[in-house]
Amino acid sequence: MTGPYVLPDQMYIEQLINRLWTGREVGQAAVMVGAGFSRNANRITVSTPVFPLWEELASIMFDALYPNGIEDRDEKRSKVLSGAGALRLASEYQEVFGRMELDDLLLQAIPDSSYSPGLLHEMLLSLPWSDIFTTNYDTLLERTLPLIYERKYDVIVNASDLPGSTRPRIVKLHGSFPSNRPFIITEDDFRTYPRLFAPFVNTVQQSLMENVLCLIGFSGDDPNFLYWTGWVRDNLGVNSPLIYLCGLLDLTHSQRQVLKKRNVIPIDLSPLFPKANWPDAGLRHSKALEWLLITLLNGAPPSVMDWPESLSGTRWKPSPGLPETPSPNQLSNTDLQNIIR
């Protein structure tokens, strides 16, 4: 093969690059970060458990609510370990054990302090997003900030932080460890969110009126993905922005059509990372996101201030085994030298 493999969804990556790199300090693209992205953090010790996804959180709650010996336990389990089922289980858990115990379960199940931000967190925050929204409770994004020199982010963890904040911002939509509560997880939390957290909802709405939205770290049945994309569709209607769902989606044709009907454009990286070549699911996901972020970073227009680093390509050097990324549209060495003169 000569040159990089061209994804079927490459045209959408190019559109996202154009909205990111507008020649301004911040682009015309916002990103919403989900639980899957936290799995790209660095473990402090080898014994540290992985960050749980929704199905794994649901499994922990199910085992507490339905111990062995319960009639039809396996059948019940199969029905509630989806994203939406996790919200119902969280509601049950709160009713049985109390809200404090539910919060403690999340604090214990999500090993925030046992991880440090990874290289992909640095890459993500180095892009000129207008806003970074996250539904994650962990503090990995804000702990990445001392490593970022190109951009200064305001961190928003509650409504009182919004007045006077400037873009780019990191907005923690669903609470933040250890004590910015409630952690949004039950059915009632989602139902009452637009009323109780109207300033956050208004902030998202204003951002989406001006920007396209990129979703990273979400699956198609993630309740956060379903809630926020549904809210955008219901409230913004014909003014809804383009929403790009990025990652290893492994979509069927019918699943792709359902997403497009919801005004969600999939950027499916799975053709570039076939399962047969990447048997380790975690490594496959992290490599795919690395490829995407490097591609977006390489879309930056050339800058004299970056020379010769922008020509060497050493700052965001792909890890071994990563498929080739599309060549950035950069000025030649001679062109940059002429500008410097």
Side-chain angles (χ1 to χ4, degrees):
M1 181 183 295
T2 59
Y5 173 81
V6 178
L7 281 171
D9 295 326
Q10 184 69 37
M11 70 183 89
Y12 301 126
I13 295 178
E14 297 299 328
Q15 290 178 356
L16 185 53
I17 287 173
N18 291 337
R19 295 300 295 267
L20 271 169
W21 301 103
T22 60
R24 305 170 189 167
E25 183 178 355
V26 296
Q28 295 176 321
V31 64
M32 187 173 287
V33 182
F37 195 79
S38 295
R39 290 197 162 191
N40 299 292
N42 296 322
R43 296 185 187 190
I44 293 177
T45 66
V46 294
S47 61
T48 299
V50 298
F51 271 84
L53 300 179
W54 276 98
E55 182 175 343
E56 291 151 345
L57 282 176
S59 181
I60 294 171
M61 291 184 284
F62 181 88
D63 289 342
L65 290 164
Y66 298 93
N68 288 328
I70 295 291
E71 185 179 358
D72 299 327
R73 184 175 188 270
D74 291 342
E75 182 180 349
K76 288 184 174 67
R77 186 183 186 89
S78 65
K79 291 180 179 179
V80 297
L81 293 193
S82 63
L87 303 189
R88 290 193 296 272
L89 281 171
S91 300
E92 289 184 47
Y93 196 96
Q94 177 178 270
E95 289 301 315
V96 174
F97 300 111
R99 186 71 195 211
M100 186 176 295
E101 288 299 319
L102 176 60
D103 289 348
D104 286 346
L105 180 147
L106 295 175
L107 286 163
Q108 294 171 22
I110 301 173
D112 183 30
S113 60
S114 298
Y115 277 83
S116 62
L119 180 62
L120 298 194
H121 288 83
E122 294 183 51
M123 290 181 178
L124 181 74
L125 267 62
S126 295
L127 287 162
W129 304 108
S130 173
D131 280 307
I132 296 179
F133 301 108
T134 180
T135 56
N136 296 343
Y137 317 120
D138 64 66
T139 61
L140 289 166
L141 290 175
E142 48 266 55
R143 286 192 280 131
T144 309
L145 294 181
L147 307 174
I148 306 300
Y149 304 103
E150 307 94 326
R151 314 190 190 284
K152 301 299 180 184
Y153 289 88
D154 283 355
V155 179
I156 311 298
V157 296
N158 54 59
S160 63
D161 297 325
L162 285 168
S165 65
T166 58
R167 294 173 174 171
R169 300 169 293 190
I170 296 174
V171 184
K172 305 293 289 289
L173 295 171
H174 286 181
S176 184
F177 286 164
S179 56
N180 286 102
R181 309 183 189 195
F183 307 134
I184 304 301
I185 190 171
T186 69
E187 290 175 315
D188 271 355
D189 290 338
F190 279 85
R191 181 181 58 82
T192 60
Y193 189 90
R195 175 173 56 86
L196 298 180
F197 295 91
F200 281 160
V201 171
N202 293 337
T203 299
V204 173
Q205 178 169 337
Q206 182 61 39
S207 181
L208 298 193
M209 294 294 286
E210 303 168 359
N211 304 291
V212 298
L213 178 64
C214 178
L215 303 177
I216 294 179
F218 293 93
S219 63
D221 64 348
D222 186 315
N224 290 322
F225 163 75
L226 295 173
Y227 171 82
W228 280 105
T229 55
W231 178 88
V232 169
R233 188 170 64 252
D234 293 342
N235 288 273
L236 301 186
V238 295
N239 296 316
S240 296
L242 292 177
I243 300 176
Y244 297 102
L245 176 62
C246 305
L248 282 179
L249 307 177
D250 295 306
L251 295 174
T252 64
H253 176 72
S254 59
Q255 289 171 330
R256 180 177 289 268
Q257 293 306 113
V258 168
L259 286 174
K260 287 190 174 181
K261 188 175 181 180
R262 294 174 177 169
N263 198 37
V264 176
I265 297 174
I267 297 179
D268 190 357
L269 306 178
S270 55
L272 191 60
F273 295 84
K275 290 182 179 179
N277 296 349
W278 300 87
D280 184 318
L283 182 63
R284 180 176 177 244
H285 278 272
S286 65
K287 291 291 186 181
L289 286 178
E290 179 188 353
W291 183 93
L292 174 67
L293 293 173
I294 288 179
T295 300
L296 296 179
L297 286 160
N298 284 346
S303 170
V304 174
M305 300 301 294
D306 294 336
W307 186 83
E309 187 178 68
S310 61
L311 296 175
S312 65
T314 55
R315 176 160 188 197
W316 303 116
K317 186 176 181 180
S319 62
L322 197 73
E324 186 178 354
T325 56
S327 299
N329 182 22
Q330 293 182 327
L331 293 174
S332 68
N333 194 333
T334 303
D335 290 334
L336 280 173
Q337 288 177 338
N338 288 337
I339 295 173
I340 292 171
R341 295 194 187 102

